[in-house]
Amino acid sequence: MATGGKTELGIDLDELRLLVGLSYRELARRTGCARSTLHDALTGRRFPRLDTVLAIARVCGGDTTRWRLRWVAACKRSHLPRTAPTMSLQSTNPS
């Protein structure tokens, strides 16, 4: 289940998408992200990678600096790693 920071970020991104009137299909086409990835991010089902957040913001005319700061703040509230935007959020076992 999503925590407050994750859900809030997704809901706000989805509101941005709705304000510009984009469907998930069109948003996927414009961002290059999979529809399932976008849906999971915008519903708070999964915490989005930074590059996904910034792609959505760019396509929807949002301020990418503001969205970057929101993503970092959500990571802090959720105690998630934020060193690399493409890093897996699942822990791995050392070999």
Side-chain angles (χ1 to χ4, degrees):
M1 192 69 171
T3 63
K6 291 164 57 174
T7 301
E8 190 177 302
L9 180 68
I11 289 170
D12 290 349
L13 278 169
D14 199 36
E15 287 178 8
L16 182 63
R17 173 189 71 87
L18 293 170
L19 278 172
V20 297
L22 294 177
S23 66
Y24 280 109
R25 181 183 306 269
E26 184 61 19
L27 186 61
R29 187 184 72 74
R30 292 185 187 189
T31 62
C33 299
R35 275 190 297 172
S36 60
T37 298
L38 295 171
H39 183 266
D40 287 351
L42 298 177
T43 61
R45 186 175 197 177
R46 291 186 191 253
F47 192 74
R49 296 182 340 194
L50 178 57
D51 56 342
T52 301
V53 171
L54 297 179
I56 294 167
R58 255 185 241 106
V59 164
C60 295
D63 179 347
T64 55
T65 300
R66 177 179 165 261
W67 284 102
R68 179 183 300 272
L69 293 172
R70 293 271 322 267
W71 183 85
V72 169
C75 285
K76 286 180 182 177
R77 283 193 304 275
S78 302
H79 306 291
L80 295 170
R82 57 187 165 90
T83 55
T86 58
M87 111 193 265
S88 172
L89 296 180
Q90 296 178 346
S91 61
T92 58
N93 293 327
S95 299

